[in-house]
Amino acid sequence: MIKRTLRKLLLKPVLRLSARYSSRPDRKRVFAALSKLLDCIRKGKYKKGLVLPFEEKTGKFIIFSDQHKGGRNGADDFANCEPAYLAALDHYNAEGYTLVDLGDSEELWENGWLTVSKAHAATFGREKKFHDRGAFIKIFGNHDLQWDNDPLAAVYLRSVYGTEMPVYEGVVLRTETAGGPLDIFCTHGHQGDEVSDGNWFSKFFVARIWAPLQSWLAINPNTPAYDTTLKTLHNTLMYEWSAAQPRLLLVTGHTHQPVFESLTHIERLYRQ
């Protein structure tokens, strides 16, 4: 009863506090960050990402994002989804798909790596099956940025995947279609968003204040995943950038919200 009451009382104030002190997606910054990353990958800067050619009719990819594997406690949003995720991995591996992990696979703002690796050993074991046959592309997000900047990242990843596991900021899947060449640009989607791309308050708040509170109260307002205004703005900026790129599809995660060009009649009226 006390926990339920506190949850009801604290949720809105905490969200307002987080929104007040965090930044907002900015068009110029988001556009510049995405363009720079895409240009680096296309120019062959291996540390940024790969260009992976595939056949239009035979290439098979399964893309997952934002699993947020945690410590199997009250703050672990992935734990309840694990059986479905494992079943999906078994299916797609048996069918010969390439696994693309779009980032925030591990929740490393709230947990240490050892905690996550022990809590979800079975999941890493299933992902390893893709890695063993050279069919696993791992991309970092904002909540697992450690894979890009921790000197021990390679050691940690080798401990669960067995051999070297490169982690990129993005990947371009490239194919030839009847209409010409097509690039599918895959990245996490936090680029250029100061809320998630290097903002000190977001990291401090999540790691030191929100994670313990979330674990006890069992609530999870991610930013921008929980903030509908913020994620709608970020989605709009990502869509507008991708719409201006010729012969390119953009696939991202980050906001935990599906965004497609095809809209219902009501959605089109709402946008007018």
Coordinates of all heavy atoms in Angstrom, one line a residue, residues 128-178:
K128 N 25.5 -15.8 -29.0 CA 26.8 -16.3 -29.4 C 26.6 -17.3 -30.6 O 27.5 -17.4 -31.4 CB 27.4 -17.1 -28.2 CG 28.8 -17.6 -28.5 CD 29.4 -18.3 -27.3 CE 30.8 -18.9 -27.5 NZ 30.7 -20.0 -28.5
K129 N 25.5 -17.9 -30.7 CA 25.3 -18.8 -31.9 C 25.4 -18.1 -33.2 O 25.9 -18.6 -34.2 CB 24.0 -19.6 -31.7 CG 24.0 -20.6 -30.5 CD 22.7 -21.4 -30.5 CE 22.7 -22.4 -29.3 NZ 21.5 -23.2 -29.3
F130 N 24.8 -16.9 -33.2 CA 24.9 -16.0 -34.4 C 26.4 -15.6 -34.6 O 26.9 -15.6 -35.8 CB 24.0 -14.8 -34.3 CG 22.6 -15.1 -34.3 CD1 21.8 -15.4 -33.2 CD2 21.9 -14.9 -35.5 CE1 20.5 -15.7 -33.3 CE2 20.5 -15.2 -35.6 CZ 19.8 -15.6 -34.5
H131 N 27.0 -15.2 -33.5 CA 28.4 -14.8 -33.6 C 29.3 -15.9 -34.1 O 30.2 -15.6 -34.9 CB 28.9 -14.3 -32.3 CG 30.3 -13.8 -32.2 ND1 30.7 -12.8 -33.1 CD2 31.3 -14.1 -31.5 CE1 32.0 -12.5 -32.8 NE2 32.4 -13.4 -31.9
D132 N 29.1 -17.1 -33.7 CA 29.9 -18.2 -34.1 C 29.9 -18.5 -35.6 O 30.8 -19.0 -36.2 CB 29.4 -19.5 -33.4 CG 29.8 -19.5 -31.9 OD1 30.6 -18.7 -31.5 OD2 29.2 -20.3 -31.1
R133 N 28.8 -18.1 -36.2 CA 28.7 -18.3 -37.7 C 28.9 -17.0 -38.5 O 28.6 -17.0 -39.6 CB 27.5 -19.1 -38.1 CG 26.2 -18.4 -37.7 CD 25.0 -19.3 -38.1 NE 23.7 -18.7 -37.8 CZ 23.1 -17.8 -38.6 NH1 23.6 -17.5 -39.7 NH2 21.9 -17.3 -38.2
G134 N 29.4 -16.0 -37.8 CA 29.7 -14.7 -38.5 C 28.5 -14.0 -38.9 O 28.5 -13.3 -39.9
A135 N 27.4 -14.1 -38.1 CA 26.1 -13.5 -38.5 C 25.6 -12.6 -37.4 O 24.3 -12.6 -37.1 CB 25.1 -14.6 -38.9
F136 N 26.4 -11.9 -36.7 CA 26.0 -11.0 -35.6 C 26.7 -9.7 -35.7 O 27.9 -9.6 -35.7 CB 26.3 -11.7 -34.3 CG 25.8 -10.9 -33.0 CD1 24.8 -10.0 -33.1 CD2 26.3 -11.2 -31.8 CE1 24.3 -9.3 -32.0 CE2 25.9 -10.6 -30.6 CZ 24.9 -9.6 -30.7
I137 N 25.9 -8.6 -35.9 CA 26.4 -7.2 -35.9 C 25.9 -6.5 -34.7 O 24.7 -6.4 -34.5 CB 25.9 -6.5 -37.2 CG1 26.4 -7.3 -38.4 CG2 26.4 -5.1 -37.2 CD1 25.8 -6.8 -39.7
K138 N 26.8 -6.1 -33.9 CA 26.4 -5.4 -32.6 C 26.7 -3.9 -32.7 O 27.8 -3.5 -33.0 CB 27.1 -6.0 -31.4 CG 26.7 -5.6 -30.0 CD 27.3 -6.5 -29.0 CE 26.8 -6.0 -27.6 NZ 25.4 -6.2 -27.3
I139 N 25.7 -3.1 -32.4 CA 25.8 -1.7 -32.4 C 25.5 -1.1 -31.0 O 24.7 -1.7 -30.3 CB 24.8 -1.1 -33.4 CG1 25.1 -1.5 -34.8 CG2 24.6 0.4 -33.3 CD1 24.1 -1.3 -35.9
F140 N 26.2 -0.1 -30.6 CA 26.0 0.5 -29.3 C 25.0 1.6 -29.3 O 24.8 2.3 -30.3 CB 27.3 0.9 -28.6 CG 28.0 2.1 -29.3 CD1 27.5 3.4 -29.1 CD2 29.0 2.0 -30.2 CE1 28.1 4.5 -29.7 CE2 29.6 3.0 -30.9 CZ 29.2 4.3 -30.6
G141 N 24.3 1.7 -28.1 CA 23.4 2.8 -28.0 C 23.9 3.7 -26.8 O 25.0 3.7 -26.5
N142 N 23.0 4.5 -26.3 CA 23.4 5.4 -25.2 C 23.5 4.7 -23.8 O 24.3 5.0 -23.0 CB 22.4 6.6 -25.1 CG 21.0 6.2 -25.0 OD1 20.5 5.5 -25.9 ND2 20.3 6.7 -24.0
H143 N 22.6 3.7 -23.6 CA 22.6 2.9 -22.4 C 23.7 1.8 -22.3 O 23.9 1.3 -21.2 CB 21.3 2.4 -22.0 CG 20.3 3.4 -21.5 ND1 19.9 3.5 -20.2 CD2 19.7 4.4 -22.2 CE1 19.0 4.5 -20.1 NE2 18.9 5.1 -21.3
D144 N 24.3 1.5 -23.5 CA 25.4 0.6 -23.4 C 26.6 1.3 -24.2 O 27.4 0.6 -24.9 CB 25.1 -0.8 -24.0 CG 24.5 -0.7 -25.4 OD1 24.5 0.4 -26.0 OD2 24.0 -1.7 -25.9
L145 N 26.8 2.6 -24.0 CA 27.9 3.3 -24.6 C 29.2 2.8 -24.1 O 30.2 3.1 -24.7 CB 27.7 4.8 -24.2 CG 28.6 5.8 -24.9 CD1 28.4 5.8 -26.4 CD2 28.4 7.2 -24.3
Q146 N 29.2 2.1 -23.0 CA 30.4 1.5 -22.5 C 31.2 0.7 -23.6 O 32.4 0.6 -23.6 CB 30.1 0.6 -21.3 CG 31.3 -0.2 -20.7 CD 30.8 -0.9 -19.4 OE1 29.8 -0.5 -18.8 NE2 31.6 -2.0 -19.1
W147 N 30.4 0.1 -24.5 CA 31.1 -0.7 -25.5 C 31.9 0.1 -26.5 O 32.8 -0.4 -27.2 CB 30.0 -1.5 -26.3 CG 29.2 -2.4 -25.5 CD1 27.8 -2.6 -25.6 CD2 29.6 -3.3 -24.5 NE1 27.4 -3.5 -24.7 CE2 28.4 -4.0 -24.0 CE3 30.8 -3.6 -23.9 CZ2 28.5 -4.9 -22.9 CZ3 30.9 -4.5 -22.8 CH2 29.7 -5.1 -22.4
D148 N 31.7 1.4 -26.5 CA 32.5 2.3 -27.3 C 33.7 2.9 -26.6 O 34.6 3.3 -27.2 CB 31.6 3.4 -27.9 CG 32.3 4.3 -28.9 OD1 32.9 3.7 -29.8 OD2 32.3 5.5 -28.7
N149 N 33.5 3.1 -25.3 CA 34.6 3.9 -24.6 C 35.2 3.2 -23.4 O 36.1 3.8 -22.8 CB 34.0 5.2 -24.1 CG 32.8 5.1 -23.2 OD1 32.6 4.1 -22.5 ND2 31.9 6.1 -23.2
D150 N 34.9 2.0 -23.1 CA 35.5 1.3 -21.9 C 36.7 0.5 -22.4 O 36.6 -0.3 -23.3 CB 34.5 0.4 -21.3 CG 35.0 -0.1 -19.9 OD1 36.2 -0.4 -19.8 OD2 34.2 -0.3 -19.0
P151 N 37.9 0.8 -21.8 CA 39.1 0.0 -22.3 C 39.0 -1.5 -22.1 O 39.7 -2.2 -22.8 CB 40.2 0.6 -21.4 CG 39.7 1.9 -20.9 CD 38.2 1.8 -20.8
L152 N 38.1 -1.9 -21.2 CA 37.9 -3.4 -21.0 C 36.8 -3.9 -21.8 O 36.4 -5.1 -21.6 CB 37.7 -3.6 -19.5 CG 38.9 -3.3 -18.6 CD1 38.5 -3.5 -17.1 CD2 40.1 -4.1 -19.0
A153 N 36.1 -3.2 -22.6 CA 35.0 -3.6 -23.4 C 35.3 -4.9 -24.1 O 34.5 -5.9 -24.1 CB 34.5 -2.6 -24.3
A154 N 36.4 -5.0 -24.8 CA 36.7 -6.2 -25.6 C 36.8 -7.4 -24.7 O 36.4 -8.5 -25.1 CB 38.0 -5.9 -26.4
V155 N 37.4 -7.2 -23.5 CA 37.5 -8.4 -22.6 C 36.1 -8.8 -22.1 O 35.9 -10.0 -22.1 CB 38.4 -8.0 -21.4 CG1 38.5 -9.1 -20.4 CG2 39.8 -7.6 -21.9
Y156 N 35.3 -7.9 -21.8 CA 34.0 -8.2 -21.3 C 33.2 -9.0 -22.4 O 32.6 -10.0 -22.1 CB 33.2 -7.0 -20.9 CG 33.7 -6.2 -19.7 CD1 33.5 -4.8 -19.7 CD2 34.4 -6.8 -18.7 CE1 34.0 -4.1 -18.6 CE2 34.9 -6.1 -17.6 CZ 34.7 -4.7 -17.6 OH 35.2 -4.0 -16.5
L157 N 33.2 -8.5 -23.6 CA 32.5 -9.1 -24.6 C 33.0 -10.5 -25.0 O 32.2 -11.4 -25.3 CB 32.4 -8.2 -25.9 CG 31.6 -6.9 -25.7 CD1 31.9 -5.9 -26.8 CD2 30.1 -7.2 -25.6
R158 N 34.3 -10.6 -25.0 CA 34.9 -11.9 -25.3 C 34.5 -13.0 -24.2 O 34.4 -14.2 -24.5 CB 36.4 -11.8 -25.3 CG 37.1 -13.1 -25.9 CD 38.6 -12.9 -26.0 NE 39.0 -11.8 -26.9 CZ 39.6 -10.7 -26.5 NH1 39.9 -10.5 -25.2 NH2 39.9 -9.8 -27.4
S159 N 34.2 -12.5 -23.0 CA 33.9 -13.5 -21.9 C 32.5 -14.1 -22.2 O 32.3 -15.2 -21.7 CB 33.9 -12.7 -20.6 OG 32.7 -11.8 -20.5
V160 N 31.7 -13.5 -23.0 CA 30.4 -14.1 -23.2 C 30.2 -14.6 -24.7 O 29.4 -15.6 -24.9 CB 29.2 -13.2 -22.9 CG1 29.1 -12.9 -21.4 CG2 29.3 -11.9 -23.7
Y161 N 31.0 -14.1 -25.6 CA 30.9 -14.5 -27.0 C 32.0 -15.4 -27.5 O 32.0 -15.8 -28.6 CB 30.8 -13.2 -27.9 CG 29.5 -12.4 -27.7 CD1 29.6 -11.1 -27.3 CD2 28.3 -13.0 -27.7 CE1 28.4 -10.3 -27.1 CE2 27.1 -12.3 -27.5 CZ 27.2 -11.0 -27.2 OH 26.1 -10.2 -27.0
G162 N 33.0 -15.5 -26.6 CA 34.1 -16.5 -26.9 C 35.3 -15.9 -27.7 O 36.4 -16.3 -27.4
T163 N 35.0 -15.1 -28.7 CA 36.1 -14.5 -29.5 C 35.8 -13.0 -29.6 O 34.8 -12.5 -29.1 CB 36.1 -15.1 -30.9 OG1 34.8 -14.9 -31.5 CG2 36.4 -16.6 -30.8
E164 N 36.6 -12.3 -30.3 CA 36.5 -10.8 -30.4 C 35.1 -10.5 -31.0 O 34.6 -11.1 -31.9 CB 37.5 -10.3 -31.4 CG 37.5 -8.7 -31.6 CD 38.5 -8.2 -32.5 OE1 39.3 -9.0 -33.1 OE2 38.6 -7.0 -32.7
M165 N 34.4 -9.5 -30.4 CA 33.1 -9.0 -30.8 C 33.2 -7.5 -31.1 O 33.1 -6.7 -30.2 CB 32.1 -9.3 -29.7 CG 30.7 -8.9 -30.0 SD 29.8 -10.0 -31.1 CE 29.5 -8.8 -32.4
P166 N 33.4 -7.2 -32.3 CA 33.4 -5.7 -32.7 C 32.0 -5.1 -32.4 O 31.0 -5.7 -32.5 CB 33.7 -5.7 -34.2 CG 34.2 -7.1 -34.5 CD 33.5 -8.0 -33.5
V167 N 32.0 -3.8 -31.9 CA 30.8 -3.1 -31.7 C 30.9 -1.8 -32.5 O 31.9 -1.1 -32.3 CB 30.6 -2.8 -30.2 CG1 29.2 -2.1 -30.0 CG2 30.6 -4.1 -29.4
Y168 N 29.9 -1.5 -33.3 CA 29.9 -0.3 -34.1 C 28.9 0.7 -33.7 O 28.0 0.4 -32.9 CB 29.7 -0.7 -35.6 CG 30.6 -1.8 -36.1 CD1 30.2 -3.2 -36.2 CD2 31.9 -1.6 -36.4 CE1 31.0 -4.2 -36.6 CE2 32.8 -2.6 -36.8 CZ 32.3 -3.9 -36.9 OH 33.2 -4.8 -37.4
E169 N 29.0 1.9 -34.3 CA 27.9 2.9 -34.1 C 26.8 2.7 -35.2 O 25.7 3.2 -35.0 CB 28.5 4.3 -34.2 CG 27.6 5.4 -33.8 CD 28.2 6.8 -33.7 OE1 29.4 6.9 -33.8 OE2 27.4 7.7 -33.5
G170 N 27.1 2.1 -36.2 CA 26.1 1.8 -37.2 C 26.5 0.8 -38.3 O 27.7 0.4 -38.3
V171 N 25.6 0.5 -39.2 CA 25.9 -0.4 -40.3 C 25.0 0.0 -41.4 O 23.9 0.4 -41.3 CB 25.7 -1.9 -39.9 CG1 24.2 -2.2 -39.6 CG2 26.1 -2.8 -41.0
V172 N 25.6 -0.1 -42.6 CA 24.8 0.1 -43.9 C 24.6 -1.2 -44.6 O 25.6 -1.8 -45.0 CB 25.5 1.1 -44.8 CG1 24.8 1.2 -46.1 CG2 25.5 2.5 -44.1
L173 N 23.4 -1.7 -44.7 CA 23.1 -2.9 -45.5 C 22.8 -2.4 -46.9 O 21.9 -1.6 -47.1 CB 21.9 -3.6 -44.9 CG 21.9 -3.9 -43.4 CD1 20.6 -4.5 -42.9 CD2 23.1 -4.7 -43.0
R174 N 23.6 -2.9 -47.9 CA 23.5 -2.4 -49.2 C 23.1 -3.5 -50.2 O 23.6 -4.6 -50.2 CB 24.8 -1.8 -49.6 CG 24.9 -1.3 -51.1 CD 26.2 -0.5 -51.3 NE 26.2 0.7 -50.5 CZ 27.2 1.5 -50.3 NH1 28.4 1.2 -50.9 NH2 27.1 2.6 -49.7
T175 N 22.1 -3.2 -51.1 CA 21.7 -4.1 -52.1 C 21.3 -3.4 -53.4 O 21.2 -2.2 -53.4 CB 20.4 -4.9 -51.5 OG1 20.2 -6.0 -52.4 CG2 19.2 -4.0 -51.5
E176 N 21.1 -4.2 -54.4 CA 20.6 -3.7 -55.7 C 19.2 -4.1 -55.9 O 18.8 -5.3 -55.7 CB 21.5 -4.2 -56.8 CG 22.9 -3.7 -56.8 CD 23.0 -2.2 -57.3 OE1 22.1 -1.8 -58.0 OE2 24.0 -1.5 -56.9
T177 N 18.4 -3.1 -56.3 CA 17.0 -3.4 -56.5 C 16.7 -3.0 -58.0 O 17.5 -2.5 -58.7 CB 16.0 -2.6 -55.6 OG1 16.1 -1.2 -56.0 CG2 16.5 -2.7 -54.2
A178 N 15.5 -3.3 -58.4 CA 15.1 -3.0 -59.8 C 15.1 -1.5 -60.0 O 15.4 -1.0 -61.2 CB 13.7 -3.5 -60.1

